[in-house]
Amino acid sequence: MRRTALLASATLLTALLPLTAAGSASGADEPAPVPVDRFEGEVPFANQPADGIFTWGGDTDDPPALRLSDRADASEGAKVLTGTYEISGYGGFTHDFAADQPAHDWSAHKGIRFWWDGQDNGKKIAFEIKDGGANGEASELWTTSFTDDFTGWKQIEIPFTDFTYRTDYQPVGGIDHVLGLTQMWGYALTLPVGVKGQFAMDDVELYGKADQSLRASVTTDSVVYPVREGGTAQVKVSVATTGSAPIDEPVTVAYEAGGGTAASGSDYVPVKGTITFPAGTASGTSRTVQVATRKDKAAESAETVPLELTVTGAKAPAETPEVVIDAHGLPYLDSRLPVRKRVADLLSRMSLEEKAGQMTQAERAGLTSQGDIATYALGSLLSGGGSTPTPNTPEAWAKMIDSFQLRAQATRFQIPLIYGVDAVHGHNNLAGATIMPHNIGIGATRDPQLAEKTGAVTASEVRATGIPWDFAPCLCVTRDERWGRSYESFGEDPALVESMETVIQGLQGRADGRDLDRGDKVLATAKHFVGDGGTEYGSSTTGSYTIDQGVTKVTRQQLEAVHLAPYQTAVDRGIGTVMPSYSSLDVLGDGQGPVKMHARADMINGVLKGRMGFDGFVISDWNAIDQLPGDYASHVGTAVNAGVDMMMVPYTYKDFSTTLIDEVKAGRVSGKRIDDAVARILTQKFKLGLFEHPYADPGGADEIGSAAHRAVARQAAAESQVLLKNANGVLPLKKSQKVYVAGSNADDLGNQTGGWTITWQGASGDHTQGTTVLQAMRRAGGDVTYSKDASAPLNGYDVGVVVVGETPYAEGVGDVGNGHSLQLSAADQAAVDKVCGAMKCAVLIVSGRPQLIGDRLGGIDALVASWLPGTEGDGVADVLYGKRPFTGQLPVTWPKSESQLPINVGDASYDPQFPYGWGLTTLTRVPEGNAVTLKALALAAAVAERAGSAQAGRDIVTKARLLVQQKVGSALTASVAAPFADADHLLLTGKYAAAVAKLTEAYRAAG
């Protein structure tokens, strides 16, 4: 659930308000009630970081309407909080305390209470409190509810012991799962859905005295204690109090081992006793219980020894600690055996339930309990976009994932989890990681070696945080720039996409998988199979999306040549996993019509696994099976039978696992199909070395965001810049020039990095570490003045640089027509007009796709497609100031108007603003020549082609391209553009002579 609300919060009240409240009496041994809200106007309806009450909801109609009303029957004072609501999705209101003031300490009290004007509608109302974290919107949520089954005012009392950790939504993914009560940030109410209602509320206050069983708790230093057979587990038992005060009364902990799968006496030494923490014991004091295991000569699976704890005088641990005697002596544990033998041995021992668990992937924040990892024998967890630990540091990531892996050690065969994350342009969920340009920019570099380097940096940073699996690269061939995922594609030409698949080797290492167990490599994922980049505009049926997850209508020949081709390359490069697309595929003439890719057995089983020989495993997209027709059982059966091996079911992992088991028992999914899926999954786990090293290796953590890694990102940013126009040599800039910088994207790191950065959709502003274009220009030594909206005086400057473009988005949320367009914003247009009307100017477009700039092109001296360059703005400054030459080429066609879309290289009608492959250069020596020169280059290209000399062929075609661009200048016509674009496609397919022939055609067409 995502809250789409105006955030607000409130100033500290505790020390400022009277400490009494009507209708409440304090006993001599209890503290006086402490007001939280009186609703007399002391708390405004306001935004953070100030103190305030705010509403929220699933859509614009869901937030309730609130006001402070005079009521003669008010429980306290003259006013109460009243509201009306009619909620279809979800909605409610929150009081957040001031974010710029200290959090409140509620630990001395028994609970929270308030007066509620009952409407007797029988509806449950959720009440949650906010514990720990940075502020009310970055805290941990604890929830309970009360039922409105009465009429008139009633005081609702809720002891803090009634609150439970909220499992369906946590704003920061959860913190420590402990209700500490010492750092409280407010409360929230979720109102009933599906009724038109009203409410009144008054006098929220803390009441009663906290007894020690609430303030004091007994914990263990772990929940799972793996130990080799014959070893001794050390279970540390501690007592702690909120506020770290000594305990007031004695706390006793009786312990006894037993009740697990291990046999007392033969597998472990019986242990029983009592620990006493006397009154006055300091918070944090620990005692150790030892559980010794016995060794025999038998090979065995893992066995468990629960250590039952009975606590008096404090809160007991939420879970019973468990000693696990490691599995040993079994063939699958022998790293000297071939992987196929290890897989066969383990598979032969597993139950159906354990196999179903391996095919199940849950979201880490969607776990009802971490214990479910063992209970359901889960095979995988993931972090979706923005699902991060708190704090968002490499150490916290490693610690979190290690805690999940520890849970997997409590299973019978101790099969490690494989943890996945969308690291699509660097480890983009991790604050401080090196963020590369998005794929559209990498495609613009035309540099396969650099693509491989970016993959290697990403893999190193991802694996250093304990994550062995990356849901990248995206091998989509983007055919319509209105698609919200355009920037995830390397380009519109399958030949370009194939050339950039060197990134797979950067991520995984050698194609045979022998490098996967290295500490700087990860399992990669080719996505989204197949045709996700070819969906028709208006064909999507997902919410308000217009093109994403829609229907791709193609002939069989188009499917093979455009969309399938990159996947054969990926399979040849040893890709470990493949993710099907949300979209539907409609192959014209096959009689099936549009079919969701997760249901297309002909494509997954038949083409991918069969014809292409893919031997990795197929992972579904996020909740994708829910989009299949029929009931849930048919969703599961259809997808599994189609060839999907592991299902990404973030919050419904229990339902999926049990349904899959039922489908197998009913005979609708065969045991052979299950064994095939699980064998594929286990094979990759063995290749990754997870059985030998399941935990994070922090050895590479120091390299995260390092200078060496950022140097690669800087090079990628520089090479991705495409110079579209450069009248009168405006670029490169000279450091002696006075430069006026303007535009919305000149000094905004969030806009520069785009979607899939820290959060799923990305965000404007500073949310990670990096250098903006403006900062980089200053660091480069430029004489720079900045005015975002160009409102500062414009006289006295040599040149202007206007950095404009898009704000972040991801997937269908970013589809054109879904609140987005390809037009510059009014503010950006105004900045361009002001600056370019006053001086020579260069316009940089920071965006995930082409923007429609034709109506202003005449007034712009230099135009640069900057794409989404990532955190290293220095790379952009490098080409602006001539430290590096512009060498980038368009990975997609730049349209004149939206009515031309879709427009792609090879189209019968092709008249773009700039053709595919276009890219001017600022090299000091630009090749010169004429038709005679081109004729000589054509002969040389033919020789290089016959000799199989790829580098020589590319160099020859590049010379011809630059020569043609120099002649064409700004006189681009359809007769020039079409052969020019065709030439770049031919170059990428190794047809160098034909490429020069096409460039010669473009040269002649230029007149």
Side-chain angles (χ1 to χ4, degrees), residues 361-365 379-389 392-394 397-398 400-401 404-405 417-431 433-435 455 457-474 485 488 507-508 521-528 575 577 579 617 619-622 646 648 688 690 704 756-760 811:
Q361 183 185 63
E363 220 288 339
R364 39 83 66 184
S380 180
L381 294 179
L382 83 149
S383 279
S387 178
T388 65
N392 189 358
T393 63
W397 275 94
M400 175 185 74
I401 293 165
F404 296 143
Q405 289 288 19
L417 295 165
I418 180 169
Y419 199 99
V421 67
D422 289 275
V424 298
H425 62 139
H427 195 354
N428 44 253
N429 273 327
L430 171 63
T434 306
I435 303 300
V457 168
T458 299
S460 172
E461 298 198 0
V462 168
R463 195 69 182 255
T465 55
I467 301 169
W469 186 14
D470 184 3
F471 304 132
C474 189
R485 300 193 87 134
E488 294 189 55
L507 292 166
Q508 290 195 166
K521 294 300 174 189
V522 294
L523 194 68
T525 307
K527 64 183 189 183
H528 303 89
I575 194 77
T577 62
M579 181 183 291
F617 70 88
I619 171 69
S620 87
D621 210 332
W622 179 283
M646 181 184 286
M648 188 185 293
L688 285 162
L690 294 177
I704 294 174
W756 286 108
T757 309
I758 307 304
T759 59
W760 175 43
E811 299 186 44

Side-chain angles (χ1 to χ4, degrees), residues 57-81:
D59 56 40
T60 55
D61 297 328
D62 282 353
L66 302 183
R67 63 190 180 96
L68 299 176
S69 304
D70 287 310
R71 286 275 292 259
D73 60 348
S75 303
E76 187 277 334
K79 297 180 183 294
V80 301
L81 179 69

Side-chain angles (χ1 to χ4, degrees), residues 826-838:
D828 278 350
Q829 292 179 31
V832 170
D833 292 345
K834 286 180 185 178
V835 177
C836 294

Side-chain angles (χ1 to χ4, degrees), residues 146-167:
F146 64 95
T147 303
D148 187 340
D149 56 1
F150 54 91
T151 302
W153 289 106
K154 178 180 178 181
Q155 191 173 47
I156 307 295
E157 289 194 345
I158 307 175
F160 291 130
T161 50
D162 284 0
F163 287 92
T164 59
Y165 179 79
R166 186 169 171 179
T167 58

Side-chain angles (χ1 to χ4, degrees), residues 504-505 508 510-513 569-577 615:
I504 294 171
Q505 264 56 66
Q508 290 195 166
R510 286 170 288 187
D512 60 6
T569 302
V571 171
D572 293 343
R573 287 186 172 275
I575 194 77
T577 62
D615 60 3

Side-chain angles (χ1 to χ4, degrees), residues 455-510:
V457 168
T458 299
S460 172
E461 298 198 0
V462 168
R463 195 69 182 255
T465 55
I467 301 169
W469 186 14
D470 184 3
F471 304 132
C474 189
L475 301 184
C476 52
V477 182
T478 178
R479 305 294 283 178
D480 190 330
E481 280 66 60
R482 291 171 291 190
W483 188 34
R485 300 193 87 134
S486 293
Y487 62 76
E488 294 189 55
S489 172
F490 291 114
E492 69 185 35
D493 182 355
L496 175 58
V497 175
E498 288 179 73
S499 73
M500 293 295 110
E501 290 186 54
T502 49
V503 70
I504 294 171
Q505 264 56 66
L507 292 166
Q508 290 195 166
R510 286 170 288 187

